[in-house]
Amino acid sequence: MSNSDDLDGRAPGGHPSGEVGEILSIGTTDATTVFVSFSTRDPGGRDAQYLAWHALDHRPEQHRLRGLRHSFRLVSTPACRAARAAAQPPYDEVDHVMAYLFADRSALEPFQSLGKALGGAGRMPLRLPSVALEVYDRAGMAASRSVLVGADVVPWRPSTGAYLLIERGKASPASVCEVPGVAGVWWFRRPAAGPTPAAQLTCCFLDDDPVAVADRLHPWLAARRRGGSRAPLLAAPFLTPVPYEWDRHLP
């Protein structure tokens, strides 16, 4: 058994992967596309039942898809909602977030086909009211030096939750990794398409209490505005659901 008393949940030491050429030369992530489902709470109060069904039934089935690389779910609690720095319509209604990372956009068609097949098999008993379904392309990534793991793999590192930022603009958010509690960040961009304007989605992966990190992020967000960034459409902390404790973090 390891001596966990010497650790605080972080890596024990060594050189960050981003500074070691031998590590970087071995490989990099090929996850380039994110599909994000934004939903509000269940009108019948069945959020815990929904989280259990999705985690134990629906989400595992997605790993049939050759193009799927990762997935993660987030929930906004009342405390998370109170800590939001911005929430403009329609994102002010968001309580649940589900994200799937794909190798490329070609994986989206079988992803949709799988959903139809599961529905046809009677495997879609619960659905949350949808706020938005959006697809973005990865634009950049960065990791805090303190966590050691590289930016390529930080989404796979266990997290307490995430801080999501949706903006109109293209400013890099890499400096957010200097904020304590932010383990790393990936950001994605969606080009304009007809009446839909371009947008940037930033996902900060956290390793501290998301509400506490949200408070620490206020100066960073203010500096971003002073640097010319537009007011965000959403700037909000979210928690990661705890397996088999489905009612622990609910809207």
Side-chain angles (χ1 to χ4, degrees):
M1 184 174 179
S2 63
N3 184 9
S4 60
D5 292 338
D6 294 336
L7 305 178
D8 63 358
R10 295 176 179 270
H15 299 287
S17 297
E19 300 174 6
V20 183
E22 291 84 350
I23 295 176
L24 297 177
S25 66
I26 290 173
T28 183
T29 182
D30 67 348
T32 65
T33 303
V34 65
F35 173 93
V36 191
S37 172
F38 298 96
S39 307
T40 188
R41 72 193 69 183
D42 181 78
R46 300 174 299 171
D47 297 86
Q49 293 94 316
Y50 175 86
L51 292 174
W53 162 75
H54 197 278
L56 300 176
D57 182 341
H58 191 72
R59 187 170 166 189
E61 292 286 0
Q62 308 309 308
H63 288 273
R64 297 178 181 276
L65 302 170
R66 295 182 62 184
L68 182 65
R69 295 295 180 264
H70 187 44
S71 63
F72 56 92
R73 174 170 284 285
L74 304 167
V75 177
S76 180
T77 64
C80 287
R81 273 189 162 272
R84 292 182 177 185
Q88 297 185 29
Y91 301 107
D92 57 331
E93 297 294 328
V94 173
D95 291 300
H96 294 274
V97 179
M98 185 65 215
Y100 294 98
L101 291 172
F102 293 101
D104 54 57
R105 285 178 175 255
S106 67
L108 295 175
E109 184 174 349
F111 173 62
Q112 294 171 349
S113 297
L114 177 58
K116 292 179 181 178
L118 290 170
R123 298 273 296 283
M124 302 283 282
L126 294 171
R127 290 175 184 259
L128 296 175
S130 180
V131 173
L133 301 174
E134 299 179 345
V135 178
Y136 295 80
D137 299 309
R138 178 167 57 83
M141 54 188 177
S144 169
R145 294 188 76 257
S146 66
V147 303
L148 300 184
V149 304
D152 290 275
V153 299
V154 78
W156 287 263
R157 187 175 184 269
S159 66
T160 55
Y163 194 92
L164 299 186
L165 184 64
I166 300 178
E167 304 167 286
R168 306 285 190 221
K170 297 183 177 181
S172 169
S175 62
V176 75
C177 292
E178 299 172 8
V179 177
V182 177
V185 59
W186 278 31
W187 59 100
F188 307 84
R189 290 178 185 149
R190 182 189 67 205
T196 303
Q200 177 169 291
L201 167 67
T202 296
C203 181
C204 304
F205 298 97
L206 311 180
D207 59 8
D208 197 359
D209 174 16
V211 173
V213 177
D215 186 60
R216 295 176 204 144
L217 281 170
H218 284 301
W220 180 83
L221 290 168
R224 192 168 177 81
R225 290 291 305 280
R226 290 195 297 270
S229 293
R230 300 182 190 179
L233 303 177
L234 179 68
F238 291 83
L239 283 156
T240 298
V242 179
Y244 297 99
E245 296 183 32
W246 311 114
D247 58 351
R248 183 170 175 180
H249 300 315
L250 295 178

